[in-house]
Amino acid sequence: MTLWYLARAAGVMALVFFTVSAALGALGAAGNNPGRRFLLQYVHRSAAVTGLVLIAAHVAAVVADSNVQISLSVLVWPFGSGYRPVAMAIGVLALYGLVLAAVVGAARGRMARSEGLTKWWRGVHLVAAAGWVLSVGHGLLAGTDAGTWWMFAVNVGCVLTVAAAVAFRLRHRTAQTRTTFRTAPVLVQR
């Protein structure tokens, strides 16, 4: 029973930490203040790493729990799970996306020296966003608590948090574009 509680708690908290990471990533990209941006990026990365540790604990507890009967083979063939195969596949795809972004993100400092690799990093980073969306789907479909009001509230809270951060970023970017357009020097041809 302890493993069941550990698996549930680790999964829910991983979603919360990945939500914090996603929201701070969106907010960190919206600012021009270098100190603020550095702090937001530091907490963004720390939350993502904490989420990865919690995901590892979640997977380990689920596999170790003899009542659930999910083996490590689900990481290779998620539809082979006897327990909610679609939900397991969504969770495994979320895991793949989040781990891929973390591995590539660990090498980002070296990639920043090249403009082409920086653009490539941005594309790979979108995989992390897809992983976060899939993890919300996994949370809604997989766990024994999926139908409870509190788990629904956690999922809705996570979605609203990231949506608000992304909306703020888009609004900030639009306002910044308007300001740049208004203050741009006008070239007069003679």
Side-chain angles (χ1 to χ4, degrees):
M1 196 70 163
T2 302
L3 288 174
W4 181 65
Y5 285 119
L6 177 63
R8 292 167 57 209
V12 171
M13 290 310 298
L15 175 62
V16 169
F17 274 93
F18 284 130
T19 297
V20 168
S21 179
L24 291 176
L27 293 174
N32 290 334
N33 181 335
R36 177 179 167 265
R37 185 176 176 143
F38 174 80
L39 179 64
L40 288 176
Q41 288 300 314
Y42 180 78
V43 178
H44 161 76
R45 290 181 188 123
S46 298
V49 169
T50 304
L52 288 170
V53 170
L54 287 165
I55 285 292
H58 175 67
V59 170
V62 166
V63 169
D65 190 354
S66 60
N67 294 326
V68 181
Q69 297 179 359
I70 296 175
S71 70
L72 276 176
S73 65
V74 77
L75 295 174
V76 178
W77 181 244
F79 289 106
S81 171
Y83 177 78
R84 300 181 185 179
V86 172
M88 292 299 106
I90 290 170
V92 168
L93 290 173
L95 175 68
Y96 288 168
L98 295 165
V99 168
L100 173 66
V103 168
V104 174
R108 184 172 185 232
R110 292 184 180 172
M111 292 177 8
R113 295 181 188 135
S114 165
E115 187 176 324
L117 287 176
T118 300
K119 289 180 182 178
W120 182 75
W121 157 248
R122 289 185 183 130
V124 171
H125 204 111
L126 290 176
V127 173
W132 176 81
V133 170
L134 289 170
S135 67
V136 171
H138 176 73
L140 287 170
L141 298 173
T144 53
D145 299 317
T148 63
W149 67 268
W150 67 267
M151 191 63 216
F152 181 75
V154 167
N155 280 297
V156 168
C158 289
V159 169
L160 290 176
T161 299
V162 171
V166 169
F168 177 82
R169 177 180 179 170
L170 293 174
R171 190 170 138 224
H172 182 267
R173 181 178 284 169
T174 303
Q176 195 174 34
T177 302
R178 284 188 204 144
T179 304
T180 304
F181 181 71
R182 287 183 194 150
T183 59
V186 178
L187 299 176
V188 179
Q189 292 182 346
R190 292 181 187 190

